[in-house]
Amino acid sequence: MSKICVIGTGYVGLVTGTCFAELGNQVTCVDIVVEKIERLKQGILPIYEPGLEEMVERNTRVGRLHFTTSYSEGLDNAEYIFISVNTPTGPGQRGADMRYVESAARSIAEELDHYAIIINKSTVPVGSGDVVSRIVSSSLKRPDVTFAVVSNPEFLREGAAVLDFMNPDRIVLGSSDADAARKVATLYLPLRAPFVITDIYTAEMIKYASNAFLATKISFINEIAQICERLGADVKEVAAGMGFDKRIGRAFLDAGLGYGGSCFPKDVRALAHMADEAGLHPQMLHAVMDINYDQRRLIVTKLTSILGSLRGCTIGILGLAFKANTDDMREAPSVDIIRWVTSQGAAVRVYDPVARETADEALKHENVRMESVQFCGDAYEVAEGADALVIVTEWNEFKSLNMPQIRGSMRRPVMIDGRNIYEAAEMNRLGFIYRGMGHGTGPAPSVLPSGDATSLPPAQLELEA
Ligand code: NAD
Ligand code: UGA
């Protein structure tokens, strides 16, 4: 049993603290947001993450997991202090904003009264371990206290965070103090994962390189998807065919709306910024970002190519979160898509199984015209009277909808499947004008519902003829 303090109770901090408690350690989680900590003390989680609530409840009940806003309480006898605060894109929209990490380091220094290992779990630019070291050294309230700094990047995915934390592919540890790195490794021994123990800069870089590589796979397949679409191939089959090659692998080859979330967008940006600052020209990273942005715009292009002007149209949006199984709206494609279609005069009807509140906040924050946005209770309500449906998030509950009912309630049977969850042939058979991401347009529906054909703009009638 070790005594652990985790700073920050977001996706990473809360999962890390809770899982370490589950493994038998004594954990105190510290956050500066009073309301968040008050709610956590009552068992109310600030995020949606499958399996986490039960684990928080269990470990709080048996006294292994505590929440506080007080650094002195959190650091009391702590042997390990994990910094898991946010590192969003900073002002100027390029590099990582280190303010929260720096502030956490200062707060640690002001309270630390014994030797401890400070571990950077936040995703931080190469060299940040040195920054934390310098801040702690220069702000220590007791200059005789010693400490070590270790980088231990986190690789969990939202929506599968508990599972990923408990079953990591590898544990990366970087430090100039090999003994401190080995001690941190002991915390992870129960997980039986391979360790990569290296220097601190390399550990910091492994995190960025991993995220950038996965983002690159996504942009690569999205570029291939656009080529497939133009040439009549099917990107889903292409990905399957490529994925059997062990050197390539099938993972992260799902073409669609591109990557969103709190990680890939900001981390690719930050890595490119680091390279720019170092006098390099990271062309591939810039291409990855450009392709990703273009994927979102494609939705509007597809809509207008079928509906003509969007003015006066009602567009149904299925899914708002940046991916399934999370309520996280950070850099979600839905926000851009809703902003673009509403700015062209369309109204939107939207539904997400868990992200309603976070979406409401995100849309307001991004200055979306809220009078054009109507939240609905399910997919069927979204479809009522809609001129088109757009699948934005691949929630399971969207995968087996009663399509004849959906089609029957729409004003025009247009479906843009941003996540390729349906089969084009089947959707065409059901009478939809269906467009996925990265496959030919497929045959025209054999029978357009009466009234629908004439309500399509001339361009589309020609397209379907
Ligand atoms: P988050 O925004 O969900 O949570 C961060 C938390 O830190 C918030 O609760 C905030 O109030 C708190 N905080 C900020 N400053 C603080 C301070 N000085 N003292 C105490 N608490 C403070 O962030 P997140 O998604 O958990 O990400 C945290 C870090 O982990 C980021 O660097 C991110 O890139 C990285 N990461 C995230 C994921 C993920 O899936 N979200 C996965 C791997 C790595
Ligand atoms: C990602 C990484 O997978 C984690 O390893 C990492 O720890 C985390 O970022 C982070 O550094 O914070 P996450 O953002 O939670 O995790 O979600 P992913 O499942 O990786 O998906 C990211 C985005 O890529 C989503 O928008 C998803 O829809 C998109 N994606 C994913 C695709 O478009 N195609 C794919 O084939 C896979």
Side-chain angles (χ1 to χ4, degrees), residues 238-315:
V238 171
M242 289 169 63
F244 283 113
D245 186 327
K246 290 188 190 65
R247 295 167 303 172
I248 298 174
R250 174 64 185 82
F252 282 74
L253 287 182
D254 288 327
L257 282 167
Y259 60 80
S262 66
C263 309
F264 289 171
K266 80 166 172 66
D267 291 345
V268 179
R269 229 179 265 137
L271 181 56
H273 181 62
M274 274 182 257
D276 283 338
E277 294 268 280
L280 300 167
H281 178 41
Q283 307 174 56
M284 200 184 65
L285 297 176
H286 286 296
V288 166
M289 292 187 276
D290 289 348
I291 293 166
N292 197 54
Y293 182 74
D294 288 350
Q295 286 307 112
R296 296 176 181 198
R297 290 216 68 98
L298 265 183
I299 295 293
V300 183
T301 309
K302 283 174 192 276
L303 282 170
T304 50
S305 79
I306 300 173
L307 299 173
S309 163
L310 298 185
R311 185 156 301 282
C313 287
T314 299
I315 310 296

Coordinates of all heavy atoms in Angstrom, one line a residue, residues 238-315:
V238 N -11.4 -1.3 -48.0 CA -10.0 -1.0 -48.2 C -9.3 -1.1 -46.8 O -8.2 -1.7 -46.6 CB -9.7 0.4 -48.8 CG1 -8.3 0.8 -48.7 CG2 -10.3 0.5 -50.2
A239 N -9.9 -0.5 -45.8 CA -9.3 -0.5 -44.4 C -9.2 -2.0 -43.9 O -8.2 -2.4 -43.3 CB -10.1 0.3 -43.4
A240 N -10.3 -2.8 -44.2 CA -10.2 -4.2 -43.8 C -9.1 -4.9 -44.5 O -8.3 -5.6 -43.9 CB -11.6 -4.8 -44.1
G241 N -9.0 -4.7 -45.8 CA -8.0 -5.3 -46.6 C -6.6 -4.9 -46.1 O -5.7 -5.8 -46.1
M242 N -6.4 -3.7 -45.8 CA -5.1 -3.2 -45.3 C -4.8 -3.8 -43.9 O -3.7 -4.2 -43.6 CB -5.1 -1.7 -45.2 CG -5.1 -0.9 -46.5 SD -5.4 0.8 -46.2 CE -3.9 1.3 -45.2
G243 N -5.8 -3.8 -43.1 CA -5.7 -4.1 -41.7 C -5.2 -5.5 -41.4 O -4.6 -5.8 -40.4
F244 N -5.4 -6.4 -42.3 CA -4.9 -7.8 -42.1 C -3.4 -7.9 -42.2 O -2.8 -8.8 -41.6 CB -5.5 -8.8 -43.2 CG -7.0 -9.1 -42.9 CD1 -8.0 -8.7 -43.7 CD2 -7.3 -9.9 -41.8 CE1 -9.3 -9.0 -43.5 CE2 -8.6 -10.2 -41.5 CZ -9.6 -9.8 -42.3
D245 N -2.8 -6.9 -42.8 CA -1.3 -6.9 -42.8 C -0.9 -6.4 -41.4 O -1.2 -5.3 -40.9 CB -0.9 -5.8 -43.8 CG 0.6 -5.8 -44.0 OD1 1.4 -6.1 -43.0 OD2 1.1 -5.5 -45.1
K246 N -0.2 -7.3 -40.7 CA 0.2 -7.1 -39.3 C 1.1 -5.8 -39.2 O 1.1 -5.1 -38.2 CB 1.0 -8.3 -38.7 CG 0.1 -9.5 -38.5 CD 0.9 -10.5 -37.7 CE 0.1 -11.8 -37.7 NZ 0.0 -12.4 -39.1
R247 N 1.8 -5.5 -40.3 CA 2.6 -4.3 -40.2 C 1.8 -3.0 -40.2 O 2.2 -2.0 -39.8 CB 3.6 -4.2 -41.4 CG 4.6 -5.4 -41.4 CD 5.3 -5.4 -42.7 NE 4.3 -5.6 -43.8 CZ 4.6 -5.5 -45.1 NH1 5.9 -5.3 -45.5 NH2 3.7 -5.7 -46.0
I248 N 0.5 -3.1 -40.7 CA -0.3 -1.9 -40.8 C -1.3 -2.0 -39.6 O -1.4 -1.0 -38.8 CB -1.1 -1.9 -42.1 CG1 -0.1 -1.8 -43.3 CG2 -2.1 -0.8 -42.2 CD1 -0.7 -1.9 -44.7
G249 N -2.0 -3.0 -39.4 CA -3.0 -3.1 -38.3 C -4.3 -2.4 -38.7 O -4.3 -1.4 -39.4
R250 N -5.4 -3.0 -38.2 CA -6.7 -2.4 -38.6 C -7.1 -1.2 -37.7 O -8.0 -0.4 -38.1 CB -7.8 -3.6 -38.4 CG -9.2 -3.2 -38.6 CD -9.5 -2.7 -40.0 NE -10.8 -2.1 -40.2 CZ -11.2 -0.9 -39.9 NH1 -10.4 -0.1 -39.3 NH2 -12.4 -0.5 -40.1
A251 N -6.5 -1.1 -36.5 CA -7.0 -0.1 -35.6 C -6.7 1.3 -36.1 O -5.8 1.6 -36.8 CB -6.2 -0.2 -34.2
F252 N -7.6 2.2 -35.8 CA -7.5 3.6 -36.2 C -7.5 3.8 -37.7 O -6.9 4.8 -38.2 CB -6.3 4.3 -35.5 CG -6.7 4.7 -34.1 CD1 -6.8 3.7 -33.1 CD2 -7.0 6.0 -33.7 CE1 -7.2 3.9 -31.8 CE2 -7.4 6.2 -32.4 CZ -7.5 5.2 -31.5
L253 N -8.2 3.0 -38.4 CA -8.4 3.1 -39.9 C -9.9 3.3 -40.2 O -10.3 2.9 -41.2 CB -7.8 1.9 -40.6 CG -6.3 1.9 -40.7 CD1 -5.8 0.7 -41.5 CD2 -5.7 3.2 -41.3
D254 N -10.7 3.8 -39.2 CA -12.1 4.1 -39.5 C -12.2 5.5 -40.1 O -11.9 6.5 -39.4 CB -12.9 4.0 -38.3 CG -13.1 2.6 -37.8 OD1 -13.1 1.7 -38.7 OD2 -13.1 2.4 -36.6
A255 N -12.5 5.5 -41.4 CA -12.7 6.9 -42.0 C -14.0 7.5 -41.5 O -14.9 6.8 -41.0 CB -12.8 6.7 -43.5
G256 N -14.1 8.8 -41.5 CA -15.3 9.4 -41.0 C -15.1 10.9 -40.9 O -14.5 11.6 -41.8
L257 N -15.5 11.4 -39.7 CA -15.5 12.9 -39.5 C -14.2 13.4 -39.0 O -14.0 14.6 -38.7 CB -16.6 13.2 -38.5 CG -18.0 13.3 -39.1 CD1 -19.0 13.3 -38.0 CD2 -18.1 14.5 -40.0
G258 N -13.2 12.5 -38.9 CA -11.9 12.9 -38.4 C -11.9 12.9 -36.9 O -12.8 12.5 -36.2
Y259 N -10.7 13.2 -36.4 CA -10.5 13.1 -34.9 C -11.0 14.4 -34.2 O -10.8 15.5 -34.7 CB -9.1 12.7 -34.5 CG -8.0 13.7 -35.0 CD1 -7.8 14.9 -34.3 CD2 -7.3 13.4 -36.2 CE1 -6.8 15.8 -34.8 CE2 -6.3 14.3 -36.6 CZ -6.1 15.5 -35.9 OH -5.1 16.3 -36.4
G260 N -11.6 14.2 -33.0 CA -11.9 15.4 -32.2 C -11.4 15.1 -30.8 O -10.5 14.2 -30.6
G261 N -12.0 15.7 -29.8 CA -11.7 15.4 -28.4 C -10.6 16.3 -27.8 O -10.1 17.3 -28.5
S262 N -10.3 16.0 -26.6 CA -9.4 16.9 -25.9 C -7.9 16.6 -26.1 O -7.1 17.2 -25.5 CB -9.7 16.8 -24.4 OG -9.3 15.6 -23.9
C263 N -7.7 15.5 -26.9 CA -6.3 15.0 -27.0 C -5.6 15.2 -28.4 O -4.7 16.0 -28.5 CB -6.3 13.6 -26.6 SG -7.2 13.3 -25.0
F264 N -6.1 14.4 -29.4 CA -5.4 14.5 -30.7 C -5.3 15.9 -31.2 O -4.2 16.3 -31.6 CB -6.1 13.6 -31.7 CG -5.9 12.1 -31.4 CD1 -6.7 11.2 -32.1 CD2 -5.1 11.6 -30.5 CE1 -6.5 9.8 -31.9 CE2 -4.9 10.3 -30.2 CZ -5.6 9.4 -31.0
P265 N -6.4 16.7 -31.2 CA -6.3 18.0 -31.9 C -5.2 18.8 -31.2 O -4.3 19.4 -31.8 CB -7.7 18.6 -31.7 CG -8.6 17.4 -31.6 CD -7.8 16.4 -30.9
K266 N -5.3 18.9 -29.8 CA -4.3 19.8 -29.2 C -2.9 19.2 -29.2 O -1.9 20.0 -29.2 CB -4.8 20.0 -27.7 CG -4.5 18.9 -26.7 CD -4.7 19.4 -25.3 CE -4.5 18.3 -24.3 NZ -3.3 17.6 -24.2
D267 N -2.8 17.9 -29.1 CA -1.5 17.3 -29.1 C -0.7 17.4 -30.4 O 0.5 17.6 -30.5 CB -1.5 15.9 -28.5 CG -1.9 15.8 -27.1 OD1 -1.9 16.9 -26.4 OD2 -2.3 14.8 -26.6
V268 N -1.5 17.2 -31.5 CA -0.8 17.3 -32.8 C -0.4 18.7 -33.0 O 0.8 19.0 -33.5 CB -1.7 16.8 -34.0 CG1 -1.0 17.0 -35.3 CG2 -2.2 15.4 -33.8
R269 N -1.3 19.7 -32.6 CA -0.9 21.1 -32.7 C 0.3 21.4 -31.9 O 1.2 22.1 -32.3 CB -2.1 21.9 -32.1 CG -2.6 23.0 -32.9 CD -3.8 23.6 -32.2 NE -5.1 23.1 -32.6 CZ -6.1 22.8 -31.8 NH1 -6.0 22.9 -30.5 NH2 -7.2 22.3 -32.3
A270 N 0.3 20.9 -30.7 CA 1.4 21.2 -29.8 C 2.8 20.6 -30.3 O 3.8 21.3 -30.2 CB 1.2 20.7 -28.4
L271 N 2.7 19.4 -30.8 CA 3.9 18.8 -31.4 C 4.4 19.6 -32.6 O 5.6 19.8 -32.7 CB 3.6 17.3 -31.8 CG 4.8 16.5 -32.3 CD1 6.0 16.5 -31.3 CD2 4.4 15.1 -32.6
A272 N 3.5 20.0 -33.4 CA 3.9 20.8 -34.6 C 4.5 22.1 -34.1 O 5.5 22.6 -34.6 CB 2.7 21.1 -35.5
H273 N 3.9 22.7 -33.1 CA 4.5 23.9 -32.5 C 5.9 23.7 -32.0 O 6.8 24.5 -32.2 CB 3.5 24.4 -31.4 CG 3.9 25.7 -30.8 ND1 4.0 26.9 -31.5 CD2 4.3 26.0 -29.5 CE1 4.4 27.9 -30.7 NE2 4.6 27.4 -29.5
M274 N 6.1 22.6 -31.2 CA 7.4 22.3 -30.7 C 8.4 22.2 -31.8 O 9.5 22.7 -31.7 CB 7.4 21.0 -30.0 CG 7.0 21.0 -28.5 SD 7.1 19.4 -27.8 CE 5.4 18.9 -27.8
A275 N 8.0 21.5 -32.9 CA 8.9 21.4 -34.0 C 9.2 22.7 -34.7 O 10.3 23.1 -35.0 CB 8.3 20.4 -35.1
D276 N 8.1 23.5 -34.9 CA 8.3 24.8 -35.5 C 9.3 25.7 -34.7 O 10.2 26.3 -35.2 CB 7.0 25.6 -35.5 CG 6.0 25.1 -36.6 OD1 6.6 24.5 -37.6 OD2 4.8 25.3 -36.5
E277 N 9.1 25.6 -33.4 CA 9.9 26.4 -32.4 C 11.4 26.0 -32.5 O 12.3 26.8 -32.3 CB 9.5 26.2 -31.0 CG 8.1 26.8 -30.7 CD 8.2 28.2 -30.2 OE1 8.5 28.4 -29.0 OE2 8.0 29.2 -31.0
A278 N 11.5 24.7 -32.8 CA 12.9 24.2 -32.9 C 13.5 24.4 -34.3 O 14.6 23.9 -34.7 CB 12.9 22.7 -32.6
G279 N 12.8 25.2 -35.1 CA 13.3 25.5 -36.5 C 13.0 24.5 -37.5 O 13.6 24.5 -38.6
L280 N 12.2 23.6 -37.2 CA 11.9 22.5 -38.2 C 10.6 22.9 -39.0 O 9.9 23.8 -38.6 CB 11.7 21.2 -37.5 CG 12.9 20.7 -36.7 CD1 12.6 19.6 -35.8 CD2 14.0 20.3 -37.7
H281 N 10.3 22.0 -40.0 CA 9.1 22.3 -40.8 C 8.3 21.0 -40.8 O 8.4 20.2 -41.7 CB 9.5 22.7 -42.2 CG 8.3 23.0 -43.1 ND1 7.2 23.6 -42.7 CD2 8.2 22.7 -44.4 CE1 6.3 23.7 -43.7 NE2 6.9 23.1 -44.7
P282 N 7.4 20.8 -39.8 CA 6.7 19.5 -39.7 C 5.6 19.3 -40.7 O 4.4 19.4 -40.3 CB 6.3 19.5 -38.2 CG 6.0 20.9 -37.9 CD 7.0 21.7 -38.7
Q283 N 6.0 19.1 -41.9 CA 5.0 19.1 -43.0 C 3.9 18.1 -42.8 O 2.7 18.3 -43.1 CB 5.6 18.8 -44.3 CG 6.8 19.7 -44.6 CD 7.5 19.2 -45.9 OE1 6.9 19.1 -46.9 NE2 8.8 19.0 -45.8
M284 N 4.3 16.9 -42.3 CA 3.3 15.8 -42.2 C 2.2 16.2 -41.1 O 1.0 16.0 -41.3 CB 3.9 14.5 -41.9 CG 3.0 13.4 -42.3 SD 3.8 11.8 -41.8 CE 3.8 12.0 -40.1
L285 N 2.7 16.7 -40.0 CA 1.8 17.1 -39.0 C 0.8 18.1 -39.4 O -0.4 18.1 -39.1 CB 2.5 17.5 -37.7 CG 3.4 16.5 -37.1 CD1 4.2 17.1 -35.9 CD2 2.6 15.3 -36.6
H286 N 1.3 19.1 -40.2 CA 0.4 20.1 -40.7 C -0.7 19.5 -41.7 O -1.8 19.8 -41.7 CB 1.2 21.2 -41.4 CG 1.8 22.1 -40.4 ND1 1.2 22.9 -39.5 CD2 3.2 22.3 -40.2 CE1 2.0 23.6 -38.7 NE2 3.2 23.2 -39.1
A287 N -0.2 18.5 -42.5 CA -1.1 17.9 -43.4 C -2.2 17.1 -42.7 O -3.4 17.1 -43.0 CB -0.4 16.9 -44.4
V288 N -1.8 16.4 -41.6 CA -2.7 15.7 -40.7 C -3.8 16.6 -40.2 O -5.0 16.3 -40.3 CB -1.9 15.0 -39.6 CG1 -2.9 14.5 -38.5 CG2 -1.0 13.9 -40.1
M289 N -3.4 17.8 -39.8 CA -4.4 18.7 -39.2 C -5.3 19.3 -40.3 O -6.5 19.4 -40.2 CB -3.7 19.9 -38.5 CG -3.0 19.4 -37.3 SD -2.3 20.8 -36.3 CE -0.7 21.0 -37.1
D290 N -4.7 19.6 -41.5 CA -5.6 20.1 -42.6 C -6.6 19.1 -43.1 O -7.8 19.4 -43.3 CB -4.7 20.5 -43.8 CG -3.8 21.7 -43.5 OD1 -4.1 22.4 -42.5 OD2 -2.9 22.0 -44.3
I291 N -6.1 17.8 -43.2 CA -7.1 16.8 -43.7 C -8.2 16.6 -42.7 O -9.4 16.5 -43.0 CB -6.3 15.5 -43.9 CG1 -5.3 15.6 -45.1 CG2 -7.3 14.3 -44.2 CD1 -4.3 14.4 -45.1
N292 N -7.8 16.7 -41.4 CA -8.8 16.5 -40.3 C -9.9 17.6 -40.4 O -11.1 17.3 -40.3 CB -8.1 16.5 -39.0 CG -9.0 15.9 -37.9 OD1 -9.5 14.8 -38.1 ND2 -9.3 16.6 -36.9
Y293 N -9.5 18.8 -40.6 CA -10.4 19.9 -40.7 C -11.3 19.7 -41.9 O -12.6 19.9 -41.8 CB -9.7 21.2 -40.8 CG -10.5 22.4 -40.8 CD1 -11.2 22.9 -39.6 CD2 -10.7 23.2 -42.0 CE1 -12.0 24.0 -39.7 CE2 -11.5 24.3 -42.0 CZ -12.1 24.7 -40.8 OH -12.9 25.8 -40.9
D294 N -10.8 19.3 -43.0 CA -11.5 19.2 -44.3 C -12.6 18.1 -44.1 O -13.7 18.2 -44.7 CB -10.6 18.7 -45.4 CG -9.7 19.9 -45.9 OD1 -10.0 21.0 -45.4 OD2 -8.8 19.7 -46.7
Q295 N -12.4 17.1 -43.3 CA -13.4 16.0 -43.2 C -14.7 16.6 -42.6 O -15.8 16.2 -43.0 CB -12.9 14.9 -42.2 CG -11.9 14.0 -42.8 CD -12.3 13.4 -44.1 OE1 -11.7 13.7 -45.2 NE2 -13.2 12.5 -44.1
R296 N -14.6 17.5 -41.7 CA -15.8 18.1 -41.1 C -16.6 18.9 -42.2 O -17.8 18.9 -42.2 CB -15.5 19.0 -39.9 CG -14.8 18.3 -38.8 CD -14.4 19.2 -37.7 NE -13.7 18.4 -36.7 CZ -13.5 18.8 -35.5 NH1 -13.9 20.0 -35.1 NH2 -13.0 18.0 -34.6
R297 N -15.8 19.6 -43.0 CA -16.5 20.5 -44.0 C -17.2 19.6 -45.0 O -18.2 20.0 -45.6 CB -15.4 21.3 -44.7 CG -14.8 22.4 -43.8 CD -14.5 23.7 -44.5 NE -15.8 24.3 -45.0 CZ -16.4 25.3 -44.4 NH1 -15.8 25.8 -43.3 NH2 -17.5 25.9 -44.9
L298 N -16.7 18.4 -45.2 CA -17.3 17.5 -46.2 C -18.7 17.3 -45.9 O -19.5 17.1 -46.9 CB -16.6 16.1 -46.2 CG -15.4 15.9 -47.1 CD1 -15.0 14.4 -47.0 CD2 -15.9 16.1 -48.6
I299 N -19.1 17.3 -44.7 CA -20.5 17.0 -44.3 C -21.4 18.1 -44.9 O -22.5 17.8 -45.5 CB -20.7 17.0 -42.8 CG1 -20.0 15.8 -42.2 CG2 -22.2 17.0 -42.4 CD1 -20.5 14.5 -42.5
V300 N -21.0 19.3 -44.8 CA -21.8 20.4 -45.4 C -21.8 20.3 -46.9 O -22.8 20.5 -47.5 CB -21.2 21.8 -44.9 CG1 -22.1 22.9 -45.4 CG2 -21.1 21.8 -43.4
T301 N -20.7 20.0 -47.5 CA -20.6 19.8 -48.9 C -21.6 18.7 -49.4 O -22.3 18.9 -50.4 CB -19.2 19.4 -49.4 OG1 -18.3 20.3 -48.8 CG2 -19.0 19.4 -50.9
K302 N -21.6 17.6 -48.6 CA -22.5 16.5 -49.0 C -24.0 17.0 -48.9 O -24.8 16.7 -49.7 CB -22.3 15.3 -48.1 CG -21.0 14.5 -48.5 CD -20.7 13.4 -47.5 CE -19.3 12.8 -47.7 NZ -19.3 11.7 -48.7
L303 N -24.3 17.7 -47.8 CA -25.6 18.1 -47.6 C -26.1 19.1 -48.7 O -27.2 18.9 -49.3 CB -25.8 18.9 -46.2 CG -25.8 18.1 -45.0 CD1 -25.7 18.9 -43.7 CD2 -27.1 17.3 -44.9
T304 N -25.2 20.0 -49.0 CA -25.6 21.0 -50.1 C -25.7 20.4 -51.5 O -26.5 20.8 -52.3 CB -24.7 22.3 -50.1 OG1 -23.4 21.8 -50.1 CG2 -24.9 23.1 -48.8
S305 N -24.8 19.3 -51.7 CA -24.9 18.7 -53.0 C -26.2 18.0 -53.2 O -26.6 17.7 -54.3 CB -23.7 17.8 -53.2 OG -23.9 16.5 -52.5
I306 N -26.9 17.6 -52.1 CA -28.1 16.9 -52.2 C -29.3 17.9 -52.1 O -30.3 17.8 -52.8 CB -28.3 15.8 -51.2 CG1 -27.2 14.7 -51.4 CG2 -29.6 15.1 -51.3 CD1 -27.1 13.7 -50.3
L307 N -29.2 18.7 -51.0 CA -30.4 19.6 -50.7 C -30.3 20.9 -51.4 O -31.3 21.7 -51.4 CB -30.4 19.8 -49.2 CG -30.6 18.6 -48.3 CD1 -30.5 19.0 -46.8 CD2 -31.9 17.9 -48.6
G308 N -29.2 21.3 -52.0 CA -29.1 22.6 -52.6 C -28.9 23.6 -51.4 O -28.2 23.2 -50.4
S309 N -29.5 24.7 -51.4 CA -29.3 25.7 -50.3 C -29.9 25.1 -49.0 O -30.9 24.4 -49.0 CB -30.1 27.0 -50.6 OG -30.3 27.7 -49.4
L310 N -29.2 25.3 -47.9 CA -29.7 24.8 -46.6 C -30.7 25.7 -46.0 O -31.3 25.4 -44.9 CB -28.6 24.5 -45.7 CG -27.5 23.5 -46.1 CD1 -26.5 23.3 -45.0 CD2 -28.2 22.2 -46.5
R311 N -30.9 26.9 -46.5 CA -31.8 27.9 -45.9 C -33.2 27.3 -45.8 O -33.8 26.7 -46.8 CB -31.9 29.2 -46.8 CG -32.7 30.3 -46.2 CD -32.3 31.6 -46.7 NE -30.9 31.9 -46.5 CZ -30.5 32.4 -45.3 NH1 -31.3 32.5 -44.3 NH2 -29.2 32.6 -45.1
G312 N -33.8 27.3 -44.6 CA -35.1 26.8 -44.4 C -35.2 25.3 -44.2 O -36.2 24.7 -43.9
C313 N -34.0 24.6 -44.3 CA -34.0 23.2 -44.1 C -33.9 22.8 -42.6 O -33.4 23.6 -41.8 CB -32.8 22.5 -44.8 SG -32.9 22.5 -46.5
T314 N -34.3 21.6 -42.2 CA -34.1 21.1 -40.9 C -33.2 20.0 -41.0 O -33.5 19.0 -41.7 CB -35.5 20.7 -40.3 OG1 -36.4 21.8 -40.2 CG2 -35.3 20.1 -38.9
I315 N -32.1 20.1 -40.3 CA -31.1 19.0 -40.3 C -31.1 18.3 -39.0 O -30.9 18.9 -37.9 CB -29.7 19.6 -40.6 CG1 -29.7 20.5 -41.8 CG2 -28.6 18.5 -40.8 CD1 -30.0 19.9 -43.1

